[in-house]
Every structure is written in structure tokens, then in C-alpha cells.
Amino acid sequence: MLQPRASSARTKAVLQNTIRSTTNLSTSQHDLTCRLPDGRTLGYAEYGHLSGFPPIFFHGFPSSRLEASGFERIARRRKLRIISPDRPGFGLSTIQPNRRILDWPSDVEALTAHLGLSRFAVLGGSGGGPYALACAYSLPKEIMSAVGLMASAGPWDAGVKDIPWSGWFTYLAATYVPGGFRIVTDGLLGALRWIVRTEMVTRRLDKWLEGIQKKEEERGDITTEDRRNKLLKMLFEGFAQGSAGFVLEAQLLSQPWGFRFEDVGHDNVRIWHGVKDTRAPIGHVRYMAERLPHCELKEFDEGHFTMVEHLEEILDGLVPEGADNGEHTGAEWSLPNHRSV
């Protein structure tokens, strides 16, 4: 049964919630790194309670670990520890030339070892969905309570009829002229960074942010300039190292993912998707769900960006019963005698 359709007012509310969370961020837990076995750096952020049950969120495309800042309030209220890593080439994570989607589970395994986690859940949003499913395919099912996909990108194997023109353009440019696409993208990003720092745009941004702050009656313990800078950091962080990671991932998401859906062995895969999603067509997701042996697909009368409004329900499906009641020390999902390096 379809859930109620999101209105434009709710779409705006989702954006404002993300802005409120982002502009109140400190950097103490949001610019973290660990060293991977091959010497690369993996960036990640943490939100919520450090002793809470840890869902690991895989950001969309293109984005970064800061995308999960919109989950900060719900993470604190439900006493969860949401961990959000940057994929290679995005944010703080070293680019990994010639990587595959199936290389990501090894990075996740290294991160959970670094953090001393023995059990966790995985949630992939939008372009992070294929990476969540790769974890369901590659990682031992005993260490993941559930694997979730929210508004996930679907496989192009399902057909290309419903792919939006922006997806086609990105695919063609990234596949056939990747060098030129990087140059053009970097140039556009440079121009955009300059534009948002101009006096006219700065003045309008500040007025907008002040309006949100006044409407929400938030405490004035952070200046409007700080809010603006943190918002812009979130928007541009995915391209902190340039566009090479973006171009490579555009190739990966439009190619076969490297495994058969029928071979995914995890017994608790859950998908939440909007039937009005034009960026990730529902037909592609249904194609995928029909082939996964242990999958529950729930459809909503939503678009791509408003699926986050159902985050409470999504977390209910990922977090083990009782794991978010605030009565745990964190030892229940941590490796014994662990010390982070």
C-alpha cells in the first residue's frame, strides 16, 4: 500500500532540517579519518551517541560524509551512533583509481575494525544504495543486523528507457570523454564557488538562513557567517579533491555492479523507495528486488529527496529491537579489548 504523497512544503521542510543540522555542526566528530591497509585515507563522520547502536550510512552521488548531518537530531533522540564514511575520491577519502563497487566492502570492514565494531547496520542512500548491496553480498551476514537501501540508484541492466537526461549526459561524458568531463566540471565548480562568495549571493544566503533561524527560534550561539560557511562546506565537500571521484563513480553506477542479485546471501535486505522518483526510476528498483532472495521492498508515494521523511520507519527496520532504548554501554556491539588506532 502506498504511503501519503509529499507536498512541496514537506520538500522544503526536509531541506531546512538538513540546513539546521549542518549549520550547527562542530568539526570534532565530523572530520575524522582512518588509515586503510593499502595506505589510503578514509574520511568519516559520526553523529549522535558514541555508545549507541551504529548504523553506517553511505552517502549519495555526488556527496560526502556530511550528508548524514540531517540525521543528527534523530540520532541523538534515539541514542544511535550514525557513522558516515566518504567513498574514495569524495571528501577526505583518498581516490582509488580503477576501483569497483565490490571494493567498497573491504573499506567498510577496515573502518569497523578501526572503530572496534562487532555488529552494525548498513544504509545506502541514493548513489550509496549499490554499495550497501555490495556489503550484503560480500560481508558476513552475522555482523550486519540489516542492509537498507533508501531511494537507491537502480541497475541499468533493468533497461534505459526511464533514465533521466541528466543521467544519460553524465554517463556519456564520464565514459567517453572522462578527462574533458573532469576539466569542465572542475571549471564549473570553481565558478560556482566564486559566485556563492559574491556580495549579492552572500547577502541573500544570510537573509535566508536568518529567516530559518528566527522561524525555528534557535539559539543565537552561532553567527550567520558560520552557518553560511558550514552550509557551503556541506554542499561542496564531495568535490573537496576535485571531480575525479565524481567522474569515476558516474562510470561505476551506470555499469554492471559486479555481482548477481540472486547471489546476495544476507537474509535481511530492505528497500524503501518512492514511486514518483524520477532520478532513480521505481522500475529499476523493482527489477532488483524481484531478484534478491531475501528482500522486502516498501513503496511510497514520494519523490527522490522526500524519502528521508520516513527515516524513523527506516531506522526501525535496521536497528535491532531494544538497541536504541538508551540502556546500552556500546560494549554489546564492540569488539572485546578494542582500542582505536
Side-chain angles (χ1 to χ4, degrees):
M1 181 176 179
L2 295 180
Q3 302 300 307
R5 182 180 181 180
S7 66
S8 59
R10 287 178 57 218
T11 304
K12 184 178 179 181
V14 170
L15 176 61
Q16 289 181 344
N17 176 65
T18 301
I19 291 170
R20 287 196 304 270
S21 299
T22 303
T23 54
N24 281 299
L25 290 180
S26 67
T27 58
S28 59
Q29 295 296 322
H30 306 110
D31 293 324
L32 303 172
T33 61
C34 74
R35 194 168 184 81
L36 297 172
D38 63 1
R40 288 182 293 117
T41 295
L42 183 74
Y44 66 99
E46 297 199 26
Y47 305 92
H49 286 252
L50 293 182
S51 61
F53 180 80
I56 303 179
F57 176 72
F58 302 156
H59 61 74
F61 164 76
S63 190
S64 75
R65 68 196 181 282
L66 301 182
E67 182 181 322
S69 61
F71 302 169
E72 176 78 51
R73 292 187 176 190
I74 192 172
R76 290 189 175 279
R77 178 165 52 78
R78 295 188 60 153
K79 297 179 172 59
L80 296 172
R81 178 188 185 184
I82 294 182
I83 300 161
S84 180
D86 289 321
R87 287 193 293 280
F90 296 95
L92 300 173
S93 291
T94 308
I95 195 166
Q96 183 182 16
N98 303 315
R99 71 178 174 94
R100 307 167 302 158
I101 288 176
L102 277 177
D103 292 328
W104 179 243
S106 296
D107 288 358
V108 174
E109 199 167 26
L111 174 61
T112 57
H114 170 80
L115 296 172
L117 301 178
S118 61
R119 188 164 170 78
F120 53 92
V122 161
L123 174 63
S126 190
Y131 294 90
L133 203 57
C135 289
Y137 172 78
S138 297
L139 296 181
K141 60 183 179 181
E142 295 79 12
I143 65 176
M144 294 182 293
S145 63
V147 173
L149 288 74
M150 177 180 69
S152 173
W156 283 42
D157 300 7
V160 297
K161 180 173 68 72
D162 296 324
I163 298 294
W165 70 267
S166 58
W168 271 110
F169 173 81
T170 304
Y171 156 71
L172 292 171
T175 302
Y176 295 104
V177 284
F181 192 32
R182 284 196 300 271
I183 293 171
V184 171
T185 303
D186 285 337
L188 290 173
L189 285 167
L192 187 57
R193 287 190 178 100
W194 177 82
I195 289 171
V196 298
R197 297 293 183 184
T198 61
E199 183 179 354
M200 181 182 70
V201 175
T202 296
R203 188 166 55 248
R204 291 193 175 190
L205 269 177
D206 288 353
K207 183 178 179 180
W208 185 45
L209 291 170
E210 288 165 1
I212 293 175
Q213 180 181 0
K214 182 177 180 180
K215 183 177 180 180
E216 299 298 326
E217 297 181 350
E218 294 179 353
R219 293 178 300 130
D221 55 358
I222 181 172
T223 67
T224 300
E225 181 181 4
D226 287 339
R227 289 177 181 273
R228 174 178 14 98
N229 289 336
K230 290 178 179 181
L231 172 61
L232 293 177
K233 179 177 180 180
M234 185 193 74
L235 295 176
F236 287 109
E237 183 66 10
F239 295 95
Q241 303 176 59
S243 64
F246 160 73
V247 172
L248 177 56
E249 184 148 296
Q251 298 170 0
L252 294 176
L253 294 178
S254 56
Q255 298 171 356
W257 297 350
F259 57 94
R260 297 173 67 247
F261 298 136
E262 293 85 351
D263 295 334
V264 174
H266 198 283
D267 57 5
N268 189 13
V269 176
R270 304 191 177 204
I271 304 176
W272 298 270
H273 208 88
V275 298
K276 299 186 181 300
D277 191 332
T278 58
R279 296 176 65 89
I282 185 63
H284 289 196
V285 175
R286 290 171 179 162
Y287 172 94
M288 177 170 59
E290 289 167 0
R291 288 159 175 76
L292 291 167
H294 311 286
C295 174
E296 176 184 331
L297 168 61
K298 186 164 186 179
E299 298 179 6
F300 298 80
D301 196 17
E302 301 278 11
H304 191 71
F305 296 104
T306 53
M307 278 303 303
V308 73
E309 283 284 277
H310 301 278
L311 186 59
E312 290 273 11
E313 179 180 342
I314 291 169
L315 289 173
D316 287 340
L318 295 176
V319 178
E321 187 175 355
D324 58 350
N325 60 15
E327 298 178 0
H328 300 278
T329 64
E332 299 87 346
W333 28 82
S334 298
L335 297 171
N337 303 318
H338 172 265
R339 291 182 61 188
S340 294
V341 292

